[in-house]
């Protein structure tokens, strides 16, 4: 099998905080030197299923995925083909494995409860996330090392500019990262853009105005 250079954490327009279309995601990823992506939309696999239909046309491998907001924080499921119904963290992991999938603890030190228990239970720990701080990523790497858990890398891209922030050679059997080609951090403006998109899609206009001012201040600054 050819080497697989993957970004295992990307959000499409099927997420509440992204406007990226699956076709363009694949084209941008290919131009960035990736051979495949995992599209892991918030609480739905629809984006990854749409992208899978474009694999041959674009010449990219797509791993179907989802990022579920559970009662203890986000959990990613890779290689899942059906929607995850539960939002209780242990049941989500059971559902992922019941589909023959792989469970991932993304950005463990951002908005998670029971981190140690979650980390012990999942199959992989995201040890580098382009939207996390250096300290958060270092703690995630140390956590995976203590538990002898395989690690994965993800851009957590919500905007086209972030695609390619991560390019990692993965083991196709375990999805563990074997070698990192590129690991760059997302810009603050990219994060703010996705926050604005989130508020716009939810018609949260007051929050949208507040986020818009923060973005404009960043651009002017």
């Amino acid at each position: 099998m050819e080497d697989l250079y993957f970004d295992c954490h990307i959000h499409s327009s099927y997420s509440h905080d992204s406007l990226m279309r699956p076709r363009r995601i694949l084209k941008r990823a290919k131009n960035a030197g990736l051979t495949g992506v995992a599209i892991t939309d918030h609480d739905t696999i629809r984006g990854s299923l749409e992208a899978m239909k474009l694999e041959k046309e674009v010449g990219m491998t797509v791993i179907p995925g989802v990022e579920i907001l559970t009662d203890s924080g986000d959990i990613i499921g890779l290689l899942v083909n059906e929607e995850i119904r539960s939002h209780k963290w242990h049941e989500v992991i059971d559902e992922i494995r019941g589909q023959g999938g792989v469970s991932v603890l993304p950005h463990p030190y951002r908005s998670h409860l029971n981190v140690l228990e979650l980390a012990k239970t999942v199959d992989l720990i995201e040890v580098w996330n382009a939207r996390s701080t250096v300290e958060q990523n270092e703690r995630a790497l140390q956590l995976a090392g203590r538990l002898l858990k395989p690690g994965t890398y993800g851009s957590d891209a919500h905007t086209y500019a972030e695609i390619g922030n991560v390019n990692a050679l993965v083991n196709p059997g375990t999805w563990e990262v074997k070698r990192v080609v590129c690991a760059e951090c997302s810009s603050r403006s990219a994060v703010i853009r996705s926050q604005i998109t989130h508020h716009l899609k939810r018609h949260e206009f007051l929050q949208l105005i507040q986020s818009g001012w923060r973005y404009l201040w960043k651009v002017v600054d």
Side-chain angles (χ1 to χ4, degrees), residues 201-216:
K201 283 189 169 183
R202 291 175 177 262
H203 305 290
E204 297 171 347
F205 298 113
L206 176 60
Q207 294 89 334
L208 174 63
I209 292 170
Q210 293 170 340
S211 294
W213 275 114
R214 287 196 296 270
Y215 172 64
L216 290 174

Side-chain angles (χ1 to χ4, degrees), residues 62-73:
V62 177
I63 298 303
V66 64
E67 185 172 16
I68 299 294
L69 178 59
T70 77
D71 53 357
S72 287

Side-chain angles (χ1 to χ4, degrees), residues 93-126:
I93 293 174
D94 286 343
E95 282 193 55
I96 292 168
R97 289 176 175 161
Q99 295 186 35
V102 176
S103 59
V104 183
L105 176 59
H107 46 74
Y109 293 102
R110 272 174 35 209
S111 304
H112 280 90
L113 304 174
N114 308 317
V115 173
L116 184 58
E117 191 173 4
L118 284 168
K120 288 179 177 179
T121 308
V122 296
D123 302 304
L124 297 169
I125 295 174
E126 188 178 59

Side-chain angles (χ1 to χ4, degrees), residues 51-64:
M52 288 177 70
K53 298 176 183 178
L54 304 169
E55 284 183 308
K56 291 184 179 179
E57 176 185 335
V58 181
M60 291 284 289
T61 299
V62 177
I63 298 303

Side-chain angles (χ1 to χ4, degrees), residues 60-99:
M60 291 284 289
T61 299
V62 177
I63 298 303
V66 64
E67 185 172 16
I68 299 294
L69 178 59
T70 77
D71 53 357
S72 287
D74 293 325
I75 293 175
I76 285 177
L78 300 177
L79 299 170
V80 293
N81 298 294
E82 297 179 3
E83 299 285 11
I84 303 297
R85 302 301 178 186
S86 180
H87 287 275
K88 296 181 179 179
W89 73 266
H90 58 284
E91 293 180 358
V92 167
I93 293 174
D94 286 343
E95 282 193 55
I96 292 168
R97 289 176 175 161
Q99 295 186 35

Side-chain angles (χ1 to χ4, degrees), residues 22-32 57-58 60:
R23 182 188 300 275
R24 191 173 172 192
I25 289 174
L26 299 189
K27 290 182 176 180
R28 288 292 294 261
K30 187 173 184 178
N31 289 338
E57 176 185 335
V58 181
M60 291 284 289

